[in-house]
């Protein structure tokens, strides 16, 4: 049965490598279709109500146990990599020395309950924080990717100094301290936990792991110890990164076993078996611990819920700052439908942020309130706006927080409306031609109308505006632009701009 | 043609007697440098054919590009738009020019623009990237300040210095290849407006009288060998991006001249036949003439008009 571990490793890499490369890819060379792979993640599948995928994942779990954790989940595989790498830095004695530990039931069931309760309350706060796929997405997009881009930029500067333009400089996505802080915290947490304790994070913090742990005791196949040939040497226990094998008691805690099959390889006596659970008398798994703790869990949960809600309330009433541009409504990416749908379904995995060719998408700090931390919003700056012929963000979203929009629909999706402040406009204040805003408007919502002395001033037709921010990004008035985009709470279809009158006459003279 | 041939042979004969040249070939190439029209306008052909013809009238590509030269071609690639919308320079024209430069022995032909839309998408969807690489040229990124170097514009009125793409500063010869378009801000975008794609900081232009800054930019000491104004398809309205093909008129024309002001003047006259425009409103043309960048007086120039 040793081949099982090899299959597990191969499968894990098959999911892990494309995912990490897809998140890192800043050149747009990898096909966007790779995002289909991400739909196999539990939370995205649940959020997008993809019944086929949910069915497949459920069947896999009921057949093989927590195979999702050991192969499909990138955060799980990432921790395996850390755990495996840590061996090279540890003293020989300590290598592979896992010991059976008791499950952290209070913590894991509380976190699961919190997550579920929050969802019931309509907040994806814990989803965002704890979904393992999204956590991993943030590791890559906010920690690894910037490093790769720095490397690329250093190299491209070196090359372009020598007249070689084969590499080009890539702009870093703007640094968002809140998102970076949270991501770093989880990176350190997951890193330390996996370095010393293997899959402790998956069996304590991760709500997906905990849920699958509830299902695992019923899976058709499971790891068990053949008592007749077992010598209690403890090899299996020492190699078990879930620390769920009690070799003395010859028991495996199914709820924490991630089906990594390391123990099968470690056992010299071939006493570790991965076999059909129901062929002999079934040992009913002890779930009493969870039940006993329900009251404590409830108290913990409700306390946390209340404090969070109170905090969220405080944050919504942040005092308005000087310029109205600073207190504008956040701008959701196209396809977000409305703020309720978007906030409830986005897990902040940052895939759209990394794929946005304009890098206008950035993780939010508190723009959406506390339960929308790290969900993407549009942040315009010079040359940075939502490009007209692009629907990448809503095409790649694995949770369908962003609904895919065909290109023609995207071009009419109103994600915001331009607000013009003529009293600040260059044309009015300096009496000169400018027109940068209308120049960048793809829908002619911002257009120039006669002012005086042959000058023209901008004007906005709100029904035509799609809120792409072209105008805001290029408006030379700083620090607060004379034209800016205000977000909408529900995205509607903008009016289709009228076409110009066609010119049919034939010109066959030079005119000079 | 007859007149041209007559002058040519007369000149050759004259030179042959005066200079006692070793070969007749040397005499003809010598002659090409000395004479030639100030402007060539072609109408009625395909982009590549019109370019070939116009350059031939100007004295051949060899007059501008020497063997081993580093050449830069600066089209308008500002927008993520397909060629049919005429927001960018015609890719066929750009490709043909690159090919011509290569055949004249250019060591490399670099093409860039400081785009308004995402540069990669603009390069690709304009069709220019493919045309250039197929013709043996290279696309150069212009998306980052690190590619730009500060230069002085001593004659500039508002724009006294600016950062210009280093490939342009380092090259031996460059061609300015704009497309003729309507423009919401500058009224029209032709060869001088196209210079906003060689500079990094465009915001300054918009803040400090767009027209004056465009004229100031045209005082940049390194003049293009030629302004090649693409009027195969022109954008008559809703510029500079355009909304649909209804904004586009196919004129199948090309205007080339080393003189920015003359090229823009001629282009405006052609444009006015489609969309009547007061050339005075395109203020940068007159401003540039005041700065002695060139002349609006086409009468004084030797203009060649060719219908194909």
């Amino acid at each position: 049965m040793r081949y099982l571990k090899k299959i597990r490793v191969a499968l894990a890499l098959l999911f892990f490598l494309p995912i990490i490369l897809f998140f890192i890819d800043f050149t747009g060379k990898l096909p966007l279709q790779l995002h289909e792979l991400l739909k196999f993640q539990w939370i995205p599948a649940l959020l997008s109500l993809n019944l086929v995928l949910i069915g497949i994942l459920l069947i896999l779990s009921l057949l093989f146990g927590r195979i999702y954790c050991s192969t499909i989940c990138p955060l799980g595989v990432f921790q395996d990599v850390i755990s495996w790498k840590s061996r090279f830095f540890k003293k020989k004695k300590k290598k592979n020395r896992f010991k059976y530990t008791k499950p952290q039931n209070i913590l894991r069931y509380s976190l699961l309950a919190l997550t579920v309760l929050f969802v019931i309350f309509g907040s994806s706060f814990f989803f965002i924080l704890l979904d393992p796929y999204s956590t991993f997405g943030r590791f890559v997009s906010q920690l690894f990717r910037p490093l790769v881009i720095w490397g690329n930029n250093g190299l491209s500067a070196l090359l372009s100094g020598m007249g070689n333009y084969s590499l080009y400089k890539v702009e870093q996505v703007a640094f968002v301290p809140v998102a970076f802080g949270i991501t770093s915290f989880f990176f350190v947490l997951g890193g330390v936990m996996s370095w010393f304790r293997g899959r402790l994070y998956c069996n304590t913090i991760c709500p997906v792991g905990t849920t699958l742990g509830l299902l695992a005791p019923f899976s058709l196949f499971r790891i068990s110890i053949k008592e007749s040939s077992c010598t209690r040497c403890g090899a299996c226990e020492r190699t078990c990164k879930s620390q769920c094998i009690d070799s003395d008691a010859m028991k495996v805690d199914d709820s924490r076993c991630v089906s990594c099959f390391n123990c099968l390889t470690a056992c010299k006596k071939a006493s570790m078996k991965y076999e059909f659970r129901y062929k002999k008398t079934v040992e009913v798994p002890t779930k009493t611990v969870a039940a006993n703790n329900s009251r404590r869990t409830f108290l913990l949960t409700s306390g946390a819920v209340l404090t969070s809600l109170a905090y969220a309330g405080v944050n919504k009433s942040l005092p308005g700052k000087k310029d109205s541009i600073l207190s504008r409504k956040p701008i959701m990416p196209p396809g977000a439908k409305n703020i309720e749908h978007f906030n409830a379904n986005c897990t902040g995995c940052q895939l759209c942020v990394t794929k946005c060719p304009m890098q206008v998408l950035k993780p939010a700090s508190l723009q959406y309130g506390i339960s929308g931390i790290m969900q993407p919003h549009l942040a315009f700056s010079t040359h940075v706006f939502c490009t007209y012929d692009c629907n990448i963000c809503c095409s790649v979203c694995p949770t369908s927080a962003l609904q895919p929009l065909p290109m023609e629909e995207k071009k009419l999706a109103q994600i915001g409306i331009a607000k013009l402040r003529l009293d600040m406009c260059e044309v009015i204040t300096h009496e000169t031609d400018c027109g940068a805003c209308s120049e960048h408007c793809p829908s002619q919502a911002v257009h120039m109308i006669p002012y005086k002395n042959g000058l023209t001033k901008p004007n906005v037709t709100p029904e035509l505006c799609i809120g792409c921010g072209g105008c805001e990004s290029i408006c030379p008035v700083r620090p607060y632009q004379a034209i800016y985009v205000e977000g909408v709470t529900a995205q509607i279809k903008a009016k289709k701009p009228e076409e110009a009158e066609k010119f049919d006459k034939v010109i066959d003279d030079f005119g000079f | 043609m007859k007149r041209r041939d007559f002058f040519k042979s007369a000149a050759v004969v004259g030179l042959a007697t005066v200079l006692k040249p070793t070969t007749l070939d040397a005499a003809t190439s010598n002659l090409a440098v000395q004479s030639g029209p100030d402007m060539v306008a072609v109408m009625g052909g395909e982009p590549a054919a019109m370019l070939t013809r116009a350059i031939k009238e100007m004295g051949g590509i060899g007059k501008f590009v020497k063997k081993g030269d580093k050449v830069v071609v600066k089209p308008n690639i500002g927008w993520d738009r397909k060629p049919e919308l005429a927001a960018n320079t015609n890719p066929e024209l750009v490709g043909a020019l690159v090919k011509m430069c290569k055949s004249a022995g250019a060591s490399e032909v670099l093409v860039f623009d400081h785009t308004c839309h995402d540069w990669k998408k603009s390069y690709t969807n304009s069709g220019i990237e493919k045309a250039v690489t197929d013709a043996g040229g290279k696309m150069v990124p212009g998306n980052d300040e690190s590619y730009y170097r500060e230069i002085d514009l001593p004659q500039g009125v508002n724009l006294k210095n600016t950062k210009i793409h280093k490939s342009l500063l380092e090259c031996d010869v460059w061609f300015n290849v704009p497309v003729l378009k309507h423009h919401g801000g500058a009224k029209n975008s032709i060869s001088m407006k196209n210079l906003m794609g060689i500079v990094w900081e465009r915001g300054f232009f918009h803040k400090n009288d767009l027209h004056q800054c465009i004229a100031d930019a045209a005082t940049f000491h390194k003049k293009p060998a030629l302004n090649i104004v693409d009027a195969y398809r022109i954008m008559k309205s809703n510029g500079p991006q355009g909304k649909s093909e209804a904004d586009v008129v196919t004129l199948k024309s090309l205007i080339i001249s080393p003189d920015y002001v003359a090229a823009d003047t001629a282009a405006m006259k052609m444009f006015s036949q489609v969309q009547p425009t007061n050339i005075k409103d395109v203020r940068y043309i007159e401003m540039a003439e005041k700065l002695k960048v060139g002349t609006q007086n086409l009468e004084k120039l030797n203009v060649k008009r060719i219908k194909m």
Side-chain angles (χ1 to χ4, degrees):
Chain A
M1 289 204 160
R2 295 180 176 207
Y3 61 91
L4 278 175
K5 181 190 167 184
K6 285 186 182 143
I7 294 175
R8 187 266 298 174
V9 172
L11 276 174
L13 291 176
L14 219 55
F15 277 97
F16 184 72
L17 292 177
I19 292 176
I20 192 168
L21 290 176
F22 191 48
F23 267 95
I24 288 180
D25 177 34
F26 53 83
T27 61
K29 287 206 169 70
L30 292 179
L32 287 176
Q33 282 74 20
L34 270 177
H35 82 274
E36 298 288 344
L37 205 57
L38 304 175
K39 294 185 173 166
F40 275 91
Q41 301 296 331
W42 256 114
I43 299 289
L46 281 175
L47 285 174
S48 54
L49 284 177
N50 191 327
L51 294 180
V52 177
L53 286 180
I54 294 173
I56 293 176
L57 286 168
L58 205 60
I59 290 169
L60 278 178
S61 302
L62 288 173
L63 277 176
F64 305 114
R66 289 172 58 181
I67 200 97
Y68 167 83
C69 302
S70 60
T71 57
I72 302 174
C73 175
L75 187 64
V77 177
F78 176 66
Q79 292 183 79
D80 284 351
V81 174
I82 290 189
S83 176
W84 173 65
K85 273 284 163 207
S86 74
R87 293 169 55 195
F88 300 107
F89 297 93
K90 287 180 185 166
K91 284 189 188 136
K92 206 163 186 188
K93 268 188 180 172
K94 287 207 157 184
K95 270 186 193 175
N96 254 347
R97 289 282 165 132
F98 291 114
K99 253 169 68 185
Y100 174 78
T101 54
K102 284 199 172 126
Q104 303 286 333
N105 281 336
I106 298 178
L107 202 52
R108 64 168 164 167
Y109 293 122
S110 305
L111 284 171
L112 174 61
L114 262 179
T115 311
V116 173
L117 266 170
F118 260 63
V119 170
I120 294 167
F121 273 90
S123 163
S124 49
F125 180 63
F126 275 90
F127 253 12
I128 296 177
L129 282 188
L130 299 178
D131 167 33
Y133 150 70
S134 301
T135 304
F136 181 72
R138 291 192 293 267
F139 285 2
V140 182
S141 69
Q142 300 192 318
L143 305 175
F144 309 158
R145 196 169 186 264
L147 294 178
V148 179
I149 292 178
W150 266 321
N152 169 78
N153 289 355
L155 208 59
S156 86
L158 209 69
L159 287 176
S160 82
M162 301 187 295
N164 180 327
Y165 295 98
S166 50
L167 289 181
Y168 50 85
K169 196 176 161 182
V170 180
E171 213 51 51
Q172 295 276 12
V173 175
F175 179 74
V176 180
V178 175
F180 179 78
I182 294 176
T183 306
S184 304
F185 171 76
F186 276 89
F187 182 73
V188 172
L189 183 73
V192 169
M193 281 176 133
S194 54
W195 184 278
F196 295 105
R197 302 275 305 267
R199 289 290 196 122
L200 182 63
Y201 180 96
C202 309
N203 285 323
T204 314
I205 315 273
C206 178
V208 178
T210 306
T211 310
L212 294 178
L214 293 172
L215 286 178
F218 304 101
S219 67
L220 282 188
F221 289 90
R222 60 141 179 198
I223 302 275
S224 61
I225 304 174
K226 197 172 160 195
E227 294 181 19
S228 56
S229 58
C230 174
T231 59
R232 300 191 190 187
C233 72
C236 51
E237 184 175 331
R238 284 196 297 276
T239 192
C240 177
K241 58 201 179 200
S242 291
Q243 301 182 295
C244 69
I245 302 177
D246 186 348
S247 60
D248 287 334
M250 290 199 266
K251 288 230 163 65
V252 180
D253 177 358
D254 290 336
S255 75
R256 285 183 293 154
C257 171
V258 295
S259 306
C260 75
F261 308 127
N262 282 358
C263 52
L264 299 183
T265 312
C267 183
K268 299 273 189 300
K269 300 281 173 197
S271 296
M272 296 306 292
K273 295 280 177 204
Y274 185 61
E275 46 183 29
F276 201 54
R277 180 188 305 271
Y278 298 104
K279 73 177 178 189
K280 35 188 174 178
T281 44
V282 185
E283 198 183 304
V284 180
T286 47
K287 274 186 56 200
T288 42
V289 191
N292 287 343
N293 277 311
S294 60
R295 202 171 62 148
R296 256 189 282 179
T297 308
F298 173 71
L299 286 174
L300 256 175
T301 313
S302 37
V305 169
L306 286 174
T307 33
S308 307
L309 286 181
Y311 190 44
V314 166
N315 272 292
K316 267 179 191 152
S317 57
L318 270 175
K321 291 180 196 135
K322 276 179 221 148
D323 195 276
S324 58
I325 201 170
L326 295 171
S327 51
R328 63 167 144 202
K329 283 196 207 105
I331 304 153
M332 299 178 286
K337 280 167 82 174
N338 54 58
I339 194 131
E340 291 79 19
H341 168 86
F342 178 66
N343 286 163
N345 286 279
C346 173
T347 56
C349 74
Q350 313 295 317
L351 183 65
C352 55
V353 174
T354 64
K355 292 291 133 193
C356 176
M358 296 300 279
Q359 307 204 335
V360 65
L361 290 181
K362 294 181 181 78
S365 308
L366 288 170
Q367 285 87 347
Y368 296 115
I370 192 138
S371 63
I373 279 184
M374 297 185 293
Q375 291 183 336
H377 73 124
L378 279 83
F380 307 119
S381 54
T382 310
H383 298 299
V384 176
F385 55 92
C386 177
T387 193
Y388 192 52
D389 286 287
C390 173
N391 57 357
I392 292 178
C393 55
C394 55
S395 317
V396 298
C397 179
T399 69
S400 51
L402 303 180
Q403 308 266 316
L405 294 175
M407 193 63 90
E408 288 316 306
E409 271 181 52
K410 148 67 180 41
K411 286 180 179 174
L412 293 175
Q414 189 177 62
I415 58 174
I417 296 171
K419 295 254 179 297
L420 177 63
R421 307 187 284 183
L422 262 186
D423 55 319
M424 295 165 70
C425 175
E426 273 305 309
V427 180
I428 311 297
T429 54
H430 288 82
E431 305 225 323
T432 63
D433 262 319
C434 175
C437 51
S438 107
E439 187 179 319
H440 276 68
C441 179
S443 64
Q444 301 293 329
V446 186
H447 49 270
M448 304 305 283
I449 54 171
Y451 176 46
K452 60 180 181 190
N453 308 332
L455 293 174
T456 52
K457 61 178 179 181
N459 186 46
V460 179
T461 312
E463 313 86 86
L464 288 175
C465 182
I466 55 171
C468 70
C471 52
E472 178 181 332
S473 82
I474 206 68
C475 177
V477 182
R478 296 296 154 103
Y480 307 124
Q481 290 88 333
I483 189 165
Y484 73 93
V485 175
E486 178 82 40
V488 291
T489 42
Q491 295 180 348
I492 56 163
K493 214 169 154 183
K495 226 172 86 186
K496 210 175 171 148
E498 270 173 40
E499 288 206 343
E501 216 173 291
K502 255 199 148 27
F503 184 86
D504 301 323
K505 275 177 273 172
V506 177
I507 301 284
D508 56 0
D509 193 60
F510 289 100
F512 55 89
Chain B
M1 281 306 285
K2 266 189 174 174
R3 203 170 63 143
R4 176 172 164 267
D5 286 343
F6 169 76
F7 278 125
K8 198 170 172 182
S9 36
V12 169
V13 172
L15 279 171
T17 49
V18 175
L19 297 174
K20 292 180 190 165
T22 42
T23 66
L24 203 65
D25 271 4
T28 30
S29 70
N30 216 357
L31 164 92
V33 177
Q34 286 162 14
S35 77
D38 303 306
M39 176 185 292
V40 178
V42 191
M43 192 176 239
E46 288 307 297
M50 289 196 294
L51 179 72
T52 312
R53 180 65 190 275
I55 296 280
K56 195 176 141 205
E57 294 294 335
M58 271 286 176
I61 190 73
K63 182 174 158 188
F64 307 101
V65 178
K66 302 280 171 283
K67 206 169 169 13
D69 273 358
K70 286 183 175 179
V71 181
V72 165
V73 172
K74 163 61 180 75
N76 186 336
I77 331 176
W79 311 94
D80 176 13
R81 289 283 187 275
K82 56 181 183 172
E84 291 72 22
L85 290 175
N88 303 310
T89 307
N90 190 300
E92 235 180 277
L93 177 70
V94 180
L97 180 61
V98 171
K99 211 169 185 176
M100 232 181 237
C101 296
K102 288 297 268 190
S103 68
S107 62
E108 63 175 10
V109 183
L110 304 180
V111 181
F112 79 92
D113 192 7
H114 180 190
T115 62
C116 297
H117 278 161
D118 177 54
W119 69 283
K120 274 184 289 172
K121 292 184 68 148
S122 303
Y123 279 16
T124 312
N125 295 339
S126 63
I128 290 178
E129 184 171 49
K130 187 176 186 305
V132 167
T133 41
D134 285 355
K138 273 188 204 142
M139 296 303 292
V140 172
N143 62 318
D144 192 84
E145 192 167 0
S146 64
Y147 299 124
Y148 295 76
R149 298 283 177 271
E150 179 123 4
I151 54 109
D152 287 326
L153 296 167
Q155 290 151 271
V157 177
N158 288 352
L159 189 71
K160 299 278 188 199
N161 52 57
T162 192
K163 282 187 160 184
I164 288 187
H165 199 286
K166 68 191 182 85
S167 69
L168 197 77
L169 298 174
E170 287 162 2
C171 72
D172 296 304
V173 56
W174 73 283
F175 294 93
N176 188 27
V177 197
V179 58
L180 173 55
K181 309 193 275 187
H182 165 254
H183 194 284
K187 309 293 183 248
N188 275 82
S189 174
I190 324 167
S191 61
M192 282 186 272
K193 176 73 178 71
N194 198 36
L195 297 178
M196 284 181 79
I198 69 171
V199 306
W200 173 249
E201 175 54 40
R202 282 194 286 249
F204 185 89
F205 283 60
H206 284 278
K207 273 183 96 89
N208 295 279
D209 189 353
L210 183 60
H211 289 277
Q212 188 59 58
C213 289
I214 293 172
D216 292 348
T219 65
F220 172 44
H221 63 85
K222 195 167 183 174
K223 299 265 186 281
L226 285 173
N227 295 290
I228 302 176
V229 182
D230 167 27
Y232 185 80
R233 296 189 194 92
I234 68 159
M235 185 187 285
K236 69 163 174 63
S237 46
N238 289 320
Q241 286 196 56
K243 275 188 303 195
S244 69
E245 287 183 37
D247 295 316
V248 178
V249 179
T250 306
L251 290 186
K252 293 201 174 186
S253 301
L254 186 73
I255 299 167
I256 71 174
S257 171
D259 183 329
Y260 284 123
V261 180
D264 286 5
T265 307
M268 275 315 297
K269 291 190 171 177
M270 182 177 277
F271 185 84
S272 284
Q273 298 183 95
V274 178
Q275 193 88 305
T277 311
N278 185 357
I279 194 163
K280 294 256 184 245
D281 285 343
V282 193
R283 283 163 43 228
Y284 62 79
I285 298 183
E286 202 177 319
M287 287 167 160
E289 190 179 38
K290 255 189 213 144
L291 293 172
K292 302 200 165 39
V293 171
T295 177
Q296 288 191 71
N297 190 348
L298 301 183
E299 315 284 294
K300 279 203 296 192
L301 300 179
N302 175 9
V303 180
K304 236 177 175 10
R305 298 169 182 82
I306 298 154
K307 289 210 176 155
M308 291 178 78

